Amino acid sequence: MKTSVVLRQSAVSMMFFIMSLSFAVTAHAQHAPADEIAGTWEADDGSVKLDMYKAGTEFEARLLYGNQVVESDNVTFKLDTRNPNPALRSRSLKNIVFLSRLHWEEGEWVGGSLYDGSSGRTYNCKATIKDGKMHLRGYLGVSALGQTRVFHRANG
């Protein structure tokens, strides 16, 4: 009789161990895809290069290059002259945080804000990664009324 009690306790302990292990694996799997967006990305047409990084529980991106925000020499960054905030119009567009508040939700990054330095406008944005490419969609109001840019991981 004592043997059956010990066996039951061992079985229950083993069941809890397996359950806790599966929760740990699930939790890890949920965090790994969210961080997949971090890194340096370049638009497939070569017009934009950005550095996506984690900022707390959200993701942000700095602009490393953009053919619409550099002077004709393709090196010197333009000033943020179209910014709606007059105090920011004299800053360089180099390395500005132009994408913020993206967060992982149900298999995609959503809720982001995307600043377009060439126009001074701010858009909503979301992103997905499919076949190793990031699809970044900027839109006003409804996602269907927007534009998607495709990025690949940049070397180095």
Side-chain angles (χ1 to χ4, degrees):
M1 185 145 175
K2 284 185 179 183
T3 305
S4 71
V5 171
V6 170
L7 285 175
R8 266 190 241 138
Q9 288 175 341
S10 295
V12 169
S13 295
M14 182 63 89
M15 185 175 69
F16 282 122
F17 173 73
I18 291 171
M19 285 174 52
S20 67
L21 185 59
S22 70
F23 286 133
V25 169
T26 302
H28 182 289
Q30 289 172 351
H31 290 292
D35 292 344
E36 183 181 8
I37 200 167
T40 304
W41 296 88
E42 185 173 2
D44 280 355
D45 65 3
S47 62
V48 177
K49 191 172 187 179
L50 57 94
D51 176 34
M52 186 79 70
Y53 58 93
K54 194 165 191 174
T57 59
E58 298 176 330
F59 291 88
E60 295 181 344
R62 289 191 191 284
L63 186 62
L64 301 177
Y65 173 83
N67 64 3
Q68 296 292 314
V69 295
V70 293
E71 299 291 350
S72 57
D73 66 2
N74 275 339
V75 176
T76 308
F77 276 78
K78 293 179 180 178
L79 298 180
D80 197 4
T81 57
R82 297 183 183 250
N83 195 305
N85 181 346
L88 297 177
R89 291 181 184 159
S90 62
R91 74 176 177 172
S92 170
L93 288 170
K94 183 177 184 175
N95 290 324
I96 66 161
V97 176
F98 77 99
L99 191 152
S100 59
R101 298 192 323 254
L102 263 183
H103 60 276
W104 178 253
E105 188 176 295
E106 297 180 19
E108 64 182 350
W109 295 267
V110 296
S113 178
L114 179 67
Y115 175 67
D116 177 12
S118 64
S119 70
R121 293 185 182 145
T122 300
Y123 300 93
N124 298 322
C125 70
K126 66 180 188 174
T128 57
I129 294 181
K130 296 177 187 169
D131 300 325
K133 294 202 174 207
M134 178 177 63
H135 299 254
L136 181 62
R137 184 161 189 81
Y139 57 95
L140 284 172
V142 181
S143 176
L145 303 175
Q147 181 181 18
T148 300
R149 301 284 305 269
V150 180
F151 292 78
H152 59 272
R153 288 214 182 264
N155 295 331

